[in-house]
Amino acid sequence: MLSRLGALLQEAIGAREPSIDLLQAFVEHWKGITHYYIESTDENTPAKKTDIPWRLKQMLDILVYEERQQTAAGEAGPCLEYLLQHKILETLCTLGKAEYPPGMRQQVFQFFSKVLAQVQHPLLHYLSVHRPVQKLLRLGGTVTGSLTEKEEVQFTTVLCSKIQQDPALLAYILEGKKIVGRKKASREPTALPKDTANHRDKDNSHSSAPDRGPPLEREPCGAQALSSRLPAGTEEPDGGTGENNLITSLLGLCKSKKSRVALKAQENLLLLVHVASPAAATYLVQSSSCLAIAEHLCQLYHSLPTFLDPTDVATLEGISWRLPSAPSDEASFPGKEALAAFLGWFDYCDHLITEAHAVVADALAKAVAEKLFVETLQPQLLHVSERSMLTSTALLTALLRRLRSPALLRETVTFLLGTDQQPEAPEDNPRTLCAHLIGHCDHLSDEISIATLQLFEELLQKPHEGIISSLILRNLDSRLYVARGSPEPESYEDTLFLCLVPEEAKTSAFLEETGYDTYVHDAYGLFQECSSRVAPWGWPLGPTPLDLHEPERPFFEGHFLRVLFDRMSRILDQPYSLNLQVTSVLSRLALFPHPHIHEYLLDPYISLAPGSRSLFSVLVRVIGDLMQRIQRVPQFPGKLLLVRKQLMGQALGEQLDHQTLLEGVVVLEEFCKELAAIAFVKFPPHSPYLSLSPAPEGQV
């Protein structure tokens, strides 16, 4: 194989002797490139139509062949030493920046990528490689839609591959000359000797022979004449690496309109934050990288229409950072592609935070929370415009649905709920975002109420103990809702909820697939899922014993439960869709396997303290109101059955008198069955304590 490669090299280089002087051939090809700039007068001929690409390929082949012929592992051959000593890569970088001849930048990117990928000798620690790499990075990723995007992403991919093999390189690439200087001073084994006297000592043997090319300590052939032919401003000072580095270059490529380029850049960035050492992670935090990622998310948010239908936002599925385009088979709506891009980049941020070094993850999570949540979304959530409130709430719900990273979840919970864990009081009037959002659950606009309730339902499904603690448990910890002196419960009753609704208000028995067994099956799966989520939190199995010596204090269920109970008390007068959302949130709360939640929401026999109310007591009052109102509705059973059929799509949707009342009764019956099913799966018969183990076979 090597002999065949040697034969090909002889033919390509034009050598007539059986033995090739590789260094001489290498130098001649480099001289051919520099002479083009000195002798050519046509500035419009594309680079690919000159002999420059061919000569660069010959130089690459010589470097690879020379390395394979080396007997001593780890030593740089004469051609590689020539490339390093004469700063050929720096000169090429300058030619690429000048974009002369046209298309030269593309050729330079390709040559850099191939040299770094195919030459096995470690190169990135050499200053004469590191510095042009940094300059080339500054050329790429800065202009969206660049003609060299494909070559730029290939170049960054090679760099990321090298960093994956040696993660310590990331600090070199990011911090530049400063890090290289420290490595050189510390004389780490990985920091190989650069352009020092050692090279010149070796190279003197080559330069002493006749016709072997110029001595290696001289300037590269035609360098001064070459620089005089380039456009003004092409040369760069050697100091520093500037703000643009590998990360910023990748961020620029992530915004490419070419999906393959953007995806590859995102994969590379994900790899870097994953392998980052503590030193590199610290640098990433101190730089503007995290801020740039969050700001791009805000830019995508601002590109959205001022109003989006919450239904459109909720039904846009299948969006991820790998598939940021909306599926073509879904119904179109204004702003669909912009919404898909926004949700896709948020999903990517979430993945970055999940995969990144802890230092980077925390910093990026804080940047997203500050820039997107606090500075961008919060003013919209608190806006006087109902359309602004509705759109921002629906978007926040969609973000919560996609959120997986613990660090970003922690920041999101703090943003939405704050950090206060003290029991609430009725007279409290906090001007916090949480207080406003809870107030929106009881907004004059039913749409805003529904959207905000959906937000809280999504929040309750996240694995963060502070959510249920802030909204519910901090007000139930002392069990002030229980009358002092009342006995502790010996068992829980799951069917009293089934007996709440009077027979004349029940219609589910007349139709199929609306039975209690269906609710039991669904509740069992949801309860097991909830129990798994909260298992690490170490909740007690039984309620905290009452302190009989503690002075009695008035009980307040908290602002969140107060709104839900108030909404529940108006179930017979509210729109059907709103009632469905209120009962859905209450069912979600009832599933939590905390003894105080179960006691307060699902125990019908609890002795309530004076002035206290529970979910059961609220339902009892609703049933009492219903019994009176039934008498005022002629043909109530028949109309109720017709409305149920309408809701199930089994009858025409003609408007009836008392339509809202009748729909409310249907929801009430189904909600009571759902609560009974939840109580059953949480506390199987004859079990007074919480059971987190699967139900016995055949129980469901």
Side-chain angles (χ1 to χ4, degrees):
M1 184 67 181
L2 290 176
S3 61
R4 183 172 178 271
L5 178 61
L8 290 174
L9 279 172
Q10 285 183 7
E11 180 181 350
I13 297 171
R16 300 180 180 277
E17 304 86 2
S19 172
I20 306 173
D21 189 323
L22 294 180
L23 178 61
Q24 183 179 3
F26 188 84
V27 172
E28 286 302 316
H29 282 299
W30 177 238
K31 286 169 61 176
I33 293 175
T34 57
H35 284 170
Y36 172 86
Y37 287 88
I38 298 170
E39 298 168 359
S40 174
T41 57
D42 184 1
E43 297 184 357
N44 297 318
T45 302
K48 62 183 179 182
K49 291 188 176 180
T50 69
D51 67 347
I52 293 176
W54 176 77
R55 291 192 179 279
L56 288 174
K57 184 179 185 305
Q58 302 312 307
M59 292 171 67
L60 172 68
D61 289 344
I62 290 172
L63 290 172
V64 174
Y65 178 75
E66 176 188 68
E67 184 174 61
R68 290 179 179 175
Q69 295 293 92
Q70 289 291 116
T71 56
E75 285 191 8
C79 297
L80 179 57
E81 288 187 343
Y82 183 89
L83 177 132
L84 297 172
Q85 182 72 16
H86 290 268
K87 302 179 181 179
I88 288 178
L89 295 180
E90 290 218 38
T91 303
L92 284 173
C93 188
T94 303
L95 300 178
K97 183 180 180 181
E99 189 63 325
Y100 170 65
M104 187 60 187
R105 185 173 301 181
Q106 183 182 43
Q107 301 298 324
V108 172
F109 270 115
Q110 290 177 343
F111 183 73
F112 269 63
S113 299
K114 291 175 181 177
V115 167
L116 291 175
Q118 297 182 32
V119 174
Q120 301 304 308
H121 189 84
L123 295 176
L124 288 170
H125 292 291
Y126 289 92
L127 190 60
S128 57
V129 175
H130 176 274
R131 188 161 48 197
V133 163
Q134 292 291 347
K135 290 182 179 180
L136 203 56
L137 285 172
R138 292 204 292 277
L139 290 181
T142 55
V143 180
T144 304
S146 165
L147 295 177
T148 58
E149 278 187 338
K150 180 182 176 182
E151 288 74 26
E152 290 172 28
V153 82
Q154 288 174 343
F155 175 57
T156 56
T157 298
V158 171
L159 288 178
C160 291
S161 175
K162 293 295 181 181
I163 291 169
Q164 187 177 25
Q165 297 169 14
D166 181 8
L169 278 174
L170 182 56
Y172 284 81
I173 301 297
L174 292 180
E175 296 196 50
K177 200 170 183 181
K178 180 170 56 177
I179 273 284
V180 171
R182 287 205 297 267
K183 284 287 185 180
K184 185 178 180 182
S186 63
R187 299 188 179 276
E188 280 197 21
T190 54
L192 297 172
K194 294 192 276 291
D195 320 319
T196 62
N198 291 339
H199 290 290
R200 290 195 291 269
D201 292 342
K202 293 181 188 176
D203 298 330
N204 284 337
S205 60
H206 295 288
S207 60
S208 60
D211 300 324
R212 292 286 184 119
L216 298 189
E217 56 268 14
R218 287 195 227 154
E219 284 294 310
C221 213
Q224 293 180 350
L226 174 63
S227 63
S228 66
R229 294 292 307 276
L230 297 178
T234 302
E235 293 295 333
E236 295 187 42
D238 289 341
T241 60
E243 181 61 26
N244 282 20
N245 56 29
L246 179 56
I247 299 296
T248 52
S249 180
L250 285 173
L251 282 174
L253 292 168
C254 286
K255 303 172 188 177
S256 171
K257 299 299 181 183
K258 300 174 183 176
S259 58
R260 290 186 178 181
V261 170
L263 178 60
K264 192 61 183 177
Q266 290 170 7
E267 290 174 344
N268 288 337
L269 184 56
L270 197 62
L271 184 150
L272 292 187
V273 299
H274 180 66
V275 303
S277 63
T282 301
Y283 176 81
L284 285 173
V285 170
Q286 293 172 348
S287 72
S288 59
S289 302
C290 294
L291 194 61
I293 294 171
E295 285 178 342
H296 182 53
L297 188 60
C298 296
Q299 291 168 1
L300 292 172
Y301 176 87
H302 289 302
S303 69
L304 298 173
T306 54
F307 176 74
L308 288 167
D309 189 320
T311 304
D312 290 334
V313 176
T315 55
L316 187 59
E317 298 294 337
I319 300 298
S320 70
W321 68 274
R322 290 186 178 277
L323 296 171
S325 298
S328 56
D329 57 343
E330 292 186 0
S332 182
F333 57 86
K336 181 178 178 180
E337 289 302 324
L339 176 60
F342 171 67
L343 295 177
W345 188 255
F346 178 83
D347 183 61
Y348 180 65
C349 292
D350 187 54
H351 272 75
L352 276 178
I353 296 169
T354 301
E355 296 293 329
H357 186 284
V359 173
V360 179
D362 288 341
L364 182 53
K366 290 181 186 299
V368 170
E370 182 64 27
K371 287 294 176 183
L372 179 65
F373 294 158
V374 177
E375 295 182 12
T376 306
L377 271 174
Q378 181 165 295
Q380 300 299 311
L381 293 168
L382 302 178
H383 205 279
V384 294
S385 165
E386 292 185 359
R387 291 165 70 90
S388 294
M389 280 192 280
L390 196 57
T391 300
S392 55
T393 303
L395 287 171
L396 186 54
T397 303
L399 297 181
L400 270 176
R401 191 174 298 123
R402 289 161 174 80
L403 197 157
R404 296 291 182 272
S405 61
L408 187 53
L409 176 59
R410 184 171 60 249
E411 294 295 328
T412 306
V413 172
T414 301
F415 164 70
L416 289 172
L417 306 180
T419 57
D420 187 10
Q421 293 295 319
Q422 295 299 313
E424 298 173 89
E427 64 273 11
D428 290 345
N429 187 25
R431 297 183 177 274
T432 61
L433 175 62
C434 181
H436 281 281
L437 290 175
I438 291 175
H440 290 175
C441 295
D442 203 9
H443 200 274
L444 289 175
S445 165
D446 292 333
E447 279 189 297
I448 291 178
S449 294
I450 292 171
T452 311
L453 286 166
Q454 289 172 340
L455 171 66
F456 278 106
E457 183 176 12
E458 196 64 48
L459 188 62
L460 287 168
Q461 298 175 63
K462 293 301 173 184
H464 192 292
E465 188 176 6
I467 298 170
I468 191 67
S469 178
S470 178
L471 293 174
I472 307 293
L473 284 178
R474 60 169 164 161
N475 302 303
L476 305 183
D477 279 345
S478 299
R479 297 179 68 203
L480 295 176
Y481 51 85
V482 178
R484 290 299 184 261
S486 58
E488 295 289 349
E490 295 183 1
S491 64
Y492 291 103
E493 179 61 61
D494 62 288
T495 58
L496 192 47
F497 284 105
L498 292 177
C499 302
L500 265 178
V501 181
E503 290 300 321
E504 55 267 40
K506 292 181 178 179
T507 51
S508 60
F510 298 99
L511 300 172
E512 298 179 356
E513 297 183 0
T514 57
Y516 174 65
D517 290 346
T518 303
Y519 281 107
V520 172
H521 181 273
D522 293 344
Y524 179 74
L526 291 172
F527 176 62
Q528 293 299 315
E529 177 188 332
C530 184
S531 298
S532 299
R533 188 167 63 247
V534 308
W537 302 344
W539 280 351
L541 296 180
T544 303
L546 292 173
D547 186 357
L548 300 180
H549 301 289
E550 183 181 353
E552 289 194 19
R553 289 180 285 127
F555 169 69
F556 177 53
E557 63 264 27
H559 295 286
F560 187 56
L561 275 181
R562 180 171 67 177
V563 167
L564 292 177
F565 285 176
D566 289 347
R567 278 292 190 189
M568 196 66 217
S569 67
R570 303 196 297 268
I571 190 173
L572 302 179
D573 302 296
Q574 295 175 154
Y576 176 71
S577 56
L578 178 56
N579 285 334
L580 285 181
Q581 193 57 54
V582 171
T583 55
S584 181
V585 174
L586 283 167
S587 299
R588 187 72 62 179
L589 287 173
L591 283 165
F592 279 91
H594 194 287
H596 296 171
I597 291 178
H598 187 93
E599 179 181 52
Y600 185 60
L601 295 183
L602 295 177
D603 183 4
Y605 296 120
I606 184 175
S607 298
L608 291 173
S612 301
R613 60 177 178 170
S614 67
L615 178 57
F616 187 78
S617 71
V618 171
L619 290 173
V620 168
R621 291 189 179 186
V622 172
I623 297 298
D625 182 31
L626 173 62
M627 295 301 293
Q628 295 180 13
R629 296 170 70 169
I630 284 178
Q631 309 304 320
R632 301 194 292 269
V633 181
Q635 301 177 338
F636 179 82
K639 290 182 178 178
L640 183 62
L641 181 59
L642 177 59
V643 167
R644 178 181 278 273
K645 288 182 177 179
Q646 288 177 350
L647 294 173
M648 298 180 66
Q650 298 179 6
L652 295 177
E654 58 179 295
Q655 189 71 24
L656 302 175
D657 293 336
H658 309 285
Q659 183 88 14
T660 300
L661 169 65
L662 296 169
E663 290 176 347
V665 174
V666 173
V667 175
L668 181 63
E669 180 187 359
E670 296 304 305
F671 182 52
C672 288
K673 290 193 298 185
E674 188 173 15
L675 290 177
I678 292 172
F680 177 79
V681 300
K682 288 179 75 174
F683 282 79
H686 314 300
S687 175
Y689 295 107
L690 181 65
S691 173
L692 296 181
S693 59
E697 187 174 345
Q699 178 172 301
V700 178

